[in-house]
Amino acid sequence: MAAPIIVANWKMNKTVKEAVSFAKEFKALVRDAKAKIVICPPFTALYALCDELKGSNVSLGAQDMFFEEKGAFTGEVSGLMVKELCKYVIIGHSERRMYFKETNKLLNKKLKAALANDLIPIYCVGENLNEMQADKSKMVVEKQIKEGLKGIDAKKVIVAYEPIRAIGTGKTATADIAEEMHSFIKSFVGNVPVLYGGSVKPENVKELMKEKDIDGALVGGASLEAGSFGKIIEEA
Ligand code: PGA
């Protein structure tokens, strides 16, 4: 099996100072890790982390980017800017879809712009609780995959499946439910890495990683502390 890809999504957490102090402790902890490790801090901490993590086995990713290259788009950050500091970029996290009304169509543009800048996009998909209860999980995820990846070579993308009910709630999807969705996703995208996200912790990561089609994890809350994120990597 290929090495698992373990991605930290810090969301809107950590000042530059906090991020650097995390990185100092963390890089020593994971020096011998086999997993591919990616940290996605807020934009403000990217430059300092790029410096701090130089020469280590930890890569950097952004949490979002805009599809235009430059111009009058106040507050936005482009792929051209992100690629100076990062190898990866998260696109379409459910919080962006929910709070900032990002649609599959918009995300398709962001994905194309990320690829045009040689970034590896981590494209997030996943149903919400209502959709799950209405038995529409697969329908929703299929639409997110088909519309989001329209006209895109899926082989260049990492997909992250995050059932929204599991994000930050402690209610991880069971490994077999996740596995079923991961194999469903691969029926569209082929053999690309599909990460699982939603309350991944040191205690449940091993169970999830045993599944054939779970190729890594996207970790929010449990990635904010070097010890717990290090433990997740060790267990994975
Ligand atoms: P969580 O977040 O690990 O805190 O549930 C995961 C995510 O939203 O990427």
Side-chain angles (χ1 to χ4, degrees), residues 61-185:
Q63 296 176 14
D64 183 33
M65 57 167 269
F66 195 49
F67 58 82
E68 293 285 357
E69 206 95 295
K70 58 182 166 186
F73 302 100
T74 303
E76 292 299 316
V77 174
S78 75
L80 187 68
M81 297 163 179
V82 165
K83 80 167 165 194
E84 285 191 290
L85 303 167
C86 299
K87 199 167 146 193
Y88 298 85
V89 59
I90 298 174
I91 302 280
H93 189 277
S94 60
E95 286 148 17
R96 305 260 356 142
R97 293 177 185 264
M98 184 164 60
Y99 298 125
F100 305 99
K101 307 285 174 259
E102 297 197 353
T103 60
N104 293 330
K105 206 169 155 198
L106 171 88
L107 298 172
N108 180 257
K109 287 190 185 179
K110 291 191 174 191
L111 285 162
K112 285 180 176 157
L115 291 171
N117 281 292
D118 295 320
L119 288 157
I120 303 173
I122 302 169
Y123 178 49
C124 300
V125 299
E127 76 285 7
N128 66 31
L129 184 63
N130 288 340
E131 291 158 347
M132 186 197 80
Q133 284 167 342
D135 209 14
K136 289 186 178 154
S137 303
K138 284 192 172 160
M139 204 182 88
V140 170
V141 170
E142 180 175 344
K143 195 163 184 282
Q144 290 170 334
I145 292 283
K146 286 192 174 158
E147 293 181 2
L149 297 179
K150 196 169 172 194
I152 286 173
D153 179 4
K155 281 195 293 295
K156 297 189 170 150
V157 174
I158 294 174
V159 177
Y161 170 59
E162 301 200 297
I164 296 171
R165 68 185 179 285
I167 296 180
T169 58
K171 296 179 187 152
T172 331
T174 58
D176 49 332
I177 290 179
E179 168 62 20
E180 192 183 333
M181 190 61 93
H182 282 229
S183 99
F184 179 69
I185 290 169

